[in-house]
Amino acid sequence: MHVNKKERAPKQAPQPAETVKQQENAVVPESKPQDVSAPKTLPEKEEAPSVNDGTEDNGAAGAAESAKDTAAEGAAEKSVASKADTAAEGEKHEENEKPEKSEQEGKAENAEKAQESGMGGSPSPAAESRAPSKPSEPSNLLEPSAREKLRAALSRLGWKKWAAIAAVFVVLLGAGLFLAFGTTHVIERSDRDAKENIYMVVKPGTTASEISDHLTRLGVIDSRLRFWWLMKLQGDAQKFKTGTYAFAPHMDEQAVLDKLVSGDTTVVRFTIPEGFGIKEIAKRLADEGLVDEQEFLAEAKDFAPYDYMKKRPNERYAAEGYLFPDTYEIHSEVTPEAIMKMMAEDFDTRLTPELRQQAAAKNLSIHDLVTLASLVEKEARYDEDRPIIAQVFFKRLQMGMPLQSDTTLQYLMAGPKEDVSIEDTKIDSPYNTYQHMGLPPGPIASPGMKSILAVLNPASTDYLYFVADRQGHNHYSQTYDEHLAIVEQVR
């Protein structure tokens, strides 16, 4: 009879390598290889038989059978592990054959592998099947920056090259400072009273550079560039107020700038001396910064607001002689035409109806009166000489003698000349009273009222000649021989 024994738990068949691989990929920490078979159930402790009925042999057979099963399970386990290793090696071989990845991809892959290694499993199918990442931008870690390149280039320069560079820099810096703050050439102005103001008109649209040039030319400032840079640094180049300004020679640049920015304008006052011609008036006004000299001369050629000022043939300037010499003030915008109009109105006012009647009584037109008075003005330095010189001219005109006034020759010259020469008397011009009879084509200067009155009220003498000494006093004679003798004495 057989003894009943508890039946052994049925053995599980070896699992496929695929299943084993999935189990290995499970996130389970392992300290030693896991048994791939189902856990075995240990046999319960059997009761000792009461009689010996041959169960020992059956027990030995069972043990042998159990050992055989264990060996088979171990072989299956080794086979599964071998297949897993082979698959891993294949994957590794495929990875080695793949093109070399970028540095960033390599780092990411290493991190994944490290994570997988730490979890004790091979790469998961999800990791293998993921889409390739976008190619990253080229790394600039290995490229030297611009600063490093510059530092390297500077480090290669020797001390001699550094010294040369420093020398060039010093020279350029010095030149820049000289141009900005050095003294520039000042165009000399004509001689006049140092206390007289220098006027400058700032018109709408005038640029900062033009103002700098004008102030330098007038002698108000000594350095055009220094003033210009001062304007730019302080941001005042666009803050100038229009109007007429009064300055003094060689002013401080900052004081001039403050005046222009604050709009400290003034009433224009200027003086034209007796005996000034159009050229001298233009230069005086230009020197004081009121007008452009050439613009004034061009305007004077045909300026004739009154009928008696109408330009005659061969006359240089229609306005010559009619811009009355006086002191004037201008309260509005200054222009050549405005100045000439103001001065011509002054003359027309001073030539009263009574004076015009006196001229008509002497058969003198206003044009002839002013022309003759201009010759007297230029010849006489002292008042007592004016009526006598006027009488000499009248006598010569009546006798048909040439006036032979040196002042008419001076009018033709570029500048004043103390003594005219025989060669000068040969100048070919209608204004040359040595060569042409009668009065010149027009006035040669602006006469004052004393010269005009002298022509209207000449002295009663028999003189035909006169000559001035070095002090300006005139000496008179009736004959040419007497005249030559006096000339030898006073000259």
Side-chain angles (χ1 to χ4, degrees):
M1 110 182 233
H2 293 286
V3 179
N4 290 332
K5 298 182 288 184
K6 289 198 173 189
E7 293 181 357
R8 185 183 305 272
K11 294 184 289 184
Q12 295 181 350
Q15 300 180 2
E18 233 175 338
T19 305
V20 175
K21 187 176 180 180
Q22 291 177 359
Q23 290 178 351
E24 288 174 348
N25 288 337
V27 184
V28 179
E30 61 178 2
S31 58
K32 61 181 181 178
Q34 187 108 6
D35 198 356
V36 296
S37 60
K40 296 183 179 181
T41 304
L42 295 177
E44 295 181 1
K45 188 175 180 182
E46 299 180 358
E47 296 180 356
S50 57
V51 292
N52 185 4
D53 52 1
T55 57
E56 292 180 4
D57 294 340
N58 293 337
E65 187 178 357
S66 176
K68 185 177 180 180
D69 294 339
T70 303
E73 291 174 0
E77 195 171 327
K78 286 181 180 180
S79 176
V80 172
S82 175
K83 289 181 180 180
D85 293 338
T86 302
E89 287 179 1
E91 291 176 0
K92 183 176 181 182
H93 180 69
E94 290 177 0
E95 290 175 358
N96 291 336
E97 289 180 352
K98 289 182 180 179
E100 188 176 313
K101 297 185 175 70
S102 64
E103 187 176 352
Q104 292 180 352
E105 289 178 344
K107 289 183 178 180
E109 193 170 274
N110 291 339
E112 288 179 5
K113 288 182 179 180
Q115 184 177 5
E116 290 170 0
S117 174
M119 292 183 174
S122 60
S124 65
E128 289 179 357
S129 62
R130 75 175 184 273
S133 61
K134 294 182 181 180
S136 60
E137 295 182 359
S139 176
N140 294 329
L141 297 176
L142 300 179
E143 297 181 4
S145 64
R147 183 178 298 177
E148 291 174 349
K149 289 181 179 179
L150 179 61
R151 186 181 294 111
L154 294 177
S155 64
R156 289 194 295 270
L157 294 176
W159 69 270
K160 291 184 178 180
K161 293 183 178 179
W162 276 112
I165 293 174
V168 172
F169 176 76
V170 170
V171 171
L172 293 176
L173 180 61
L177 291 175
F178 176 78
L179 290 175
F181 300 103
T183 300
T184 57
H185 176 67
V186 178
I187 300 176
E188 294 183 1
R189 297 174 290 111
S190 61
D191 294 334
R192 65 177 188 269
D193 189 351
K195 294 181 180 180
E196 288 187 32
N197 289 324
I198 300 175
Y199 294 99
M200 187 186 77
V201 179
V202 177
K203 299 178 181 179
T206 306
T207 65
S209 181
E210 290 172 343
I211 292 175
S212 301
D213 291 339
H214 203 183
L215 288 170
T216 306
R217 183 177 63 82
L218 293 174
V220 175
I221 59 176
D222 296 329
S223 174
R224 178 183 64 82
L225 287 174
R226 185 166 57 205
F227 180 79
W228 189 87
W229 276 110
L230 191 62
M231 285 191 297
K232 292 297 183 182
L233 292 175
Q234 296 183 181
D236 293 333
Q238 305 297 328
K239 299 179 181 178
F240 296 157
K241 307 295 189 302
T242 58
T244 304
Y245 293 85
F247 299 107
H250 310 293
M251 287 183 65
D252 177 72
E253 282 83 0
Q254 186 63 57
V256 174
L257 188 58
D258 293 342
K259 201 178 189 75
L260 291 168
V261 172
S262 64
D264 185 13
T265 57
T266 186
V267 174
V268 177
R269 180 181 288 105
F270 64 91
T271 300
I272 301 300
E274 296 173 345
F276 262 36
I278 289 293
K279 288 184 176 180
E280 294 164 301
I281 294 173
K283 184 170 179 55
R284 169 62 65 87
L285 295 175
D287 285 346
E288 294 187 359
L290 295 176
V291 300
D292 178 82
E293 184 175 353
Q294 296 305 317
E295 184 180 347
F296 188 90
L297 292 174
E299 186 72 26
K301 285 184 178 296
D302 300 306
F303 181 77
Y306 302 101
D307 290 341
Y308 53 79
M309 292 178 64
K310 184 178 179 180
K311 191 176 182 181
R312 271 69 171 178
N314 300 320
E315 193 173 20
R316 285 189 167 184
Y317 300 101
E320 189 76 87
Y322 299 100
L323 305 184
F324 192 77
D326 202 351
T327 297
Y328 295 92
E329 288 186 355
I330 300 179
H331 300 269
S332 58
E333 185 179 357
V334 181
T335 63
E337 184 179 5
I339 291 176
M340 283 187 278
K341 182 178 180 182
M342 180 174 56
M343 298 177 72
E345 287 178 354
D346 190 13
F347 170 82
D348 191 68
T349 301
R350 290 175 181 271
L351 193 64
T352 63
E354 291 78 15
L355 295 178
R356 299 182 194 216
Q357 290 175 1
Q358 283 184 266
K362 290 183 173 295
N363 295 321
L364 291 174
S365 66
I366 295 178
H367 183 266
D368 291 341
L369 171 64
V370 176
T371 300
L372 192 55
S374 69
L375 298 181
V376 173
E377 186 67 53
K378 297 298 287 186
E379 291 282 9
R381 183 179 297 182
Y382 299 99
D383 292 343
E384 61 268 21
D385 290 324
R386 299 180 196 279
I388 301 175
I389 293 175
Q391 177 63 33
V392 171
F393 287 148
F394 272 119
K395 281 187 173 292
R396 288 192 170 223
L397 290 173
Q398 291 170 357
M399 296 173 61
M401 289 181 63
L403 295 181
Q404 295 182 327
S405 173
D406 291 353
T407 58
T408 60
L409 299 179
Q410 298 276 8
Y411 184 73
L412 299 174
M413 299 176 184
K417 190 175 182 180
E418 186 175 13
D419 295 315
V420 298
S421 64
I422 299 298
E423 193 66 27
D424 294 331
T425 63
K426 299 177 181 179
I427 296 175
D428 184 17
S429 171
Y431 282 90
N432 185 348
T433 55
Y434 279 86
Q435 301 292 332
H436 297 273
M437 301 290 291
L439 294 172
I444 62 172
S446 293
M449 286 306 300
K450 291 179 180 180
S451 294
I452 292 174
L453 292 174
V455 172
L456 294 176
N457 300 282
S460 179
T461 68
D462 294 327
Y463 299 131
L464 289 176
Y465 303 93
F466 64 89
V467 60
D469 57 26
R470 297 304 182 189
Q471 288 72 40
H473 295 282
N474 279 283
H475 302 268
Y476 306 94
S477 58
Q478 295 180 352
T479 66
Y480 185 64
D481 291 337
E482 292 176 346
H483 173 66
L484 291 179
I486 294 174
V487 169
E488 289 293 331
Q489 293 176 4
V490 300
R491 294 294 180 97

